[in-house]
Amino acid sequence: MEIVGSLDSIPVQSPSKTDFSSDDLKWTKFGTEEHHDDVALIPYNRVDEFIIGECCKVECPTRFHIEKGRKRSKGSLKEYKSDEYLEYKQYWCSFGPENYGEGGSILPSRRYRLNTRNRAARPQSMRGCTCHFVVKRLYARPTLALIIYNDRLHVNKSGFVCHGPLDGDAIGPGAKKVPYICDEIQQQTMSLIYLGIPEENVLQKHIEGIQRYCGSDEKVKRLASQYVHKLGTIIKRATHELDLDDQASIRMWVERNKKSVFFYQDSSEADAFILGIQTEWQLQQMIRFGHHSLMAADSTFGIKRLKYPLCSLLVFDSRQHALPVAWVITRSSAKPDVSKWMKALVDRVHTVDIGWKVYGFLVDDAAAEIDPLRDIFCCPVLFSLWRVRRSWLRNLVKKCNSIEIQREIFKRLGKLVYSIWGGLDSAAVIEELMQDFIDQTAFMQYFKDCWLPKIEMWLSVMKSLPLASQEASGAIEAYHVKLKCKVYDDSHLGSFQRVDWLVHKLTTELHSSYWLDRYSDETDSFQNVKEEYIASTSWHRALQIPDTAVELDEKGYLFAKVQSQKESKILHIVWNPGSEFAFCDCSWCLQGNLCKHVIKVNMMCENRKGYQSSMSSNSFKELLVTLLRKPMDDSIELDTAMAWTHQMLDQIQRLVELNSSDNICSVVNNLPLKWVSKKSRSFCGKPSSTLAVPSASKEPAPHRKTQKRKRLSRLR
């Protein structure tokens, strides 16, 4: 091809297509014998159409980013050549020029996208593509653009196709020589970075993880260091604002994270906003710990401070800690809306495990819709008192200055709740409370405004539904406290009214924190994280207090003393022992929480004379008494009911014996023997159709050919 030395002899091209590519242009060699390039002239206003056409090639779809750019002002040059530029931009394929695969790059990091306006389609997956071109807006003719194509092939320096359908490996050169990084190691590294662990410690744990799959040498350490540094940079640069408009930003997030969304309904005049989030790991935990077990809901988090309240669905893991397995962001509590996302969640679980079933669901809001839970989850519903107790105690400590008055009012509030079983008139108890503490105007005004209009509804729900235990309530409260610490960070006060910020917070920091808790416990690694995770609930902290550290008031049954485990000289006093509304003078209780001292004292008071039973025990007794008083005729229905009741009583006795025993062997030895007949060997992989009874005949059984012999005979 002839080499042209002047742009005046190169024709201007403007293809008829809306978007055109380099294949639609005729290229001319421009320059000298020693150095020349393929060039073409097009109208400047069609440069964007050319770039779009280049990005949409079937054999190598990509995006082009501006690698370099320069500008000149008109009139700045007194003398100039025909190819001098007014504007200069170098466009490079977004899979280059760097190569994170050559020399052993850790390519699995490419799955963690930087959701910002970055130059690369996948900024952590550039593979050394050399395809690039230059666009010059000519100084002499500003209406024209000179395209200089330096390299039109999407190949790397070695000449191999490095991306697109024509790339056999699809992950770049050298990929088979890099260390293997599984999802577990990736999630571990991400969790440590999100929790603020120093990069040196993260790198050390990362190298220990990949050493399980490959040897350790300088190359592995170097590549691991690059991976950790790059992943940390991506996480630090990540932002929740995909768009200035919050609603548009959420739509973009949902579109990019379809695997983590089980239900989405955009807000409109007819429909309320609903966003249901569940990652693949959360789905696994829901199937694992929710099957034949309990689930719970922390249902009204952020109802005053956030744009939309957050409902967290929880399961209880192997240590009976509350583990979030789904989040629902919505303000609607209408039955049709609740049924929509509940059905979508259960259907998603059943697509993985069709036999998944939950045994019970704990709610903490008396206004919650119960019918969808019973219809969709097909399980009984229990009620947890933790939210009522926490709300009353927090406001009591905040609005009353005297600790003596605080503990007395809290005791009276407990009496109000206990009245649903004691036969007392709740209205009379409330009236007595208001008259005796009429001087506590701040708290009484709060109680009148917030609770008095709906107290009958709450008491009715507490009486009609079985009540959850203190262990379950403490686990839910521990999750609520951790969620509050993560979300209500002072550095994000301006973001509370953005849903995308809440979603980002949940799916990054909170999700990573619980993943690392479970991982450290199951693999016995990260001992500090494991110890903090185990002691995260007041119930488990109470188990560490010895019985000798508790001194009960055996005369008046008014209080109990608990010796501090950190400083033996400090004694904490627990008033109204044995009740869920016991009051402790420790700092954790004064923040409105269920403390370990109250739980330990209630454990000691259980089954002791002079102390009242827990509310969950009273609820269970009321259920049994109601069943006993139910009229039933002398029929087979009575026999069935007696059989089920006896079986349930036997299971409860075994469970109580197991929990109260320190030696599992003694429990096993006391179990009744079960005589099981020896299974006969089946033939041909099918169960025998005859009964397993000894035959009276002494004739030998006819010989049967096995399936293997049959197959051999067919081959012959």
Side-chain angles (χ1 to χ4, degrees), residues 109 112-115 123-124 229-239:
S109 66
Y112 301 106
R113 294 187 57 183
L114 181 59
N115 292 327
Q124 54 271 27
H229 178 72
K230 185 167 187 63
L231 187 58
T233 303
I234 293 170
I235 291 175
K236 290 177 183 178
R237 292 179 180 176
T239 177

Side-chain angles (χ1 to χ4, degrees), residues 46-230:
R46 299 203 65 185
V47 170
D48 291 339
E49 298 173 10
F50 171 77
I51 295 174
I52 293 173
E54 282 296 285
C55 293
C56 298
K57 285 187 175 181
V58 178
E59 64 272 18
C60 48
T62 182
R63 280 165 47 190
F64 284 85
H65 63 268
I66 300 175
E67 186 74 8
K68 298 177 183 179
R70 294 189 291 268
K71 284 186 178 182
R72 286 191 180 125
S73 58
K74 188 66 175 175
S76 59
L77 296 179
K78 294 182 179 180
E79 298 180 0
Y80 49 86
K81 299 179 182 179
S82 60
D83 62 336
E84 290 289 353
Y85 64 87
L86 188 64
E87 292 179 11
Y88 174 96
K89 293 180 181 178
Q90 184 186 57
Y91 290 86
W92 207 294
C93 174
S94 288
F95 291 95
E98 295 91 354
N99 189 351
Y100 294 152
E102 192 171 9
S105 105
I106 305 176
L107 289 173
S109 66
R110 55 194 265 212
R111 63 179 291 179
Y112 301 106
R113 294 187 57 183
L114 181 59
N115 292 327
T116 57
R117 294 181 179 89
N118 194 282
R119 66 180 190 176
R122 288 179 176 177
Q124 54 271 27
S125 63
M126 290 186 283
R127 305 162 196 174
C129 184
T130 59
C131 179
H132 66 285
F133 58 89
V134 172
V135 175
K136 285 184 179 182
R137 186 177 186 182
L138 297 179
Y139 188 89
R141 293 186 284 178
T143 58
L144 299 181
L146 177 67
I147 301 177
I148 306 173
Y149 227 128
N150 305 105
D151 197 335
R152 275 191 276 175
L153 299 178
H154 291 268
V155 296
N156 53 34
K157 293 181 179 179
S158 301
F160 295 103
V161 177
C162 54
H163 66 91
L166 300 180
D167 179 16
D169 296 329
I171 52 176
K176 297 180 180 179
K177 302 177 182 178
V178 303
Y180 173 71
I181 301 178
C182 60
D183 292 342
E184 182 181 278
I185 300 176
Q186 292 180 8
Q187 185 63 56
Q188 171 189 305
T189 306
M190 285 184 61
S191 300
L192 294 175
I193 294 174
Y194 276 124
L195 296 177
I197 307 298
E199 187 173 315
E200 296 78 11
N201 298 343
V202 177
L203 177 59
Q204 179 183 356
K205 293 296 181 180
H206 182 77
I207 292 176
E208 292 177 1
I210 63 178
Q211 282 177 351
R212 299 199 299 265
Y213 303 97
C214 60
S216 176
D217 53 25
E218 292 301 323
K219 179 181 177 181
V220 170
K221 293 180 180 179
R222 174 173 56 83
L223 296 175
S225 177
Q226 294 175 2
Y227 173 79
V228 172
H229 178 72
K230 185 167 187 63

Side-chain angles (χ1 to χ4, degrees), residues 296-304 309-314 362-368 383-395 410 413 417 446 451 454 458 462 468-470 472-481 483-484 488 580-581 591-594:
D298 178 10
S299 55
T300 56
F301 179 84
I303 194 170
K304 295 180 180 179
L310 171 66
C311 175
S312 301
L313 300 184
L314 313 170
L362 278 65
V363 296
D364 59 359
D365 186 6
F383 187 80
S384 175
L385 290 168
W386 81 269
R387 185 177 295 280
V388 182
R389 183 189 186 280
R390 179 181 175 85
S391 178
W392 286 352
L393 183 56
R394 282 174 60 86
N395 284 276
F410 200 55
L413 293 173
V417 179
Y446 154 78
W451 288 97
K454 56 184 180 182
W458 282 80
M462 293 178 195
S469 63
Q470 279 191 326
S473 299
I476 301 173
E477 185 182 76
Y479 166 78
H480 180 85
V481 172
L483 175 64
K484 188 175 181 180
Y488 292 154
E580 276 91 339
F581 287 82
Q591 295 177 25
N593 303 304
L594 181 63

Side-chain angles (χ1 to χ4, degrees), residues 520-578:
S520 61
D521 186 44
E522 293 177 352
T523 60
D524 198 26
S525 58
F526 303 104
Q527 291 300 318
N528 294 336
V529 177
K530 180 180 179 179
E531 292 173 3
E532 185 178 351
Y533 156 73
I534 294 175
S536 60
T537 64
S538 297
W539 181 273
H540 280 263
R541 291 194 294 269
L543 296 177
Q544 306 305 315
I545 302 176
D547 294 348
T548 55
V550 180
E551 181 183 348
L552 298 175
D553 177 23
E554 298 293 351
K555 296 182 179 180
Y557 310 107
L558 298 177
F559 63 90
K561 296 180 181 179
V562 183
Q563 186 180 30
S564 175
Q565 300 302 296
K566 295 181 179 179
E567 299 183 20
S568 58
K569 297 181 180 180
I570 298 178
L571 290 176
H572 296 288
I573 300 179
V574 178
W575 296 88
N576 194 23

Side-chain angles (χ1 to χ4, degrees), residues 4 218 300 369 424 537 562 605 607 638 668 707:
V4 177
E218 292 301 323
T300 56
E369 289 289 347
L424 300 177
T537 64
V562 183
C605 295
N607 299 326
L638 177 62
V668 175
Q707 189 70 23

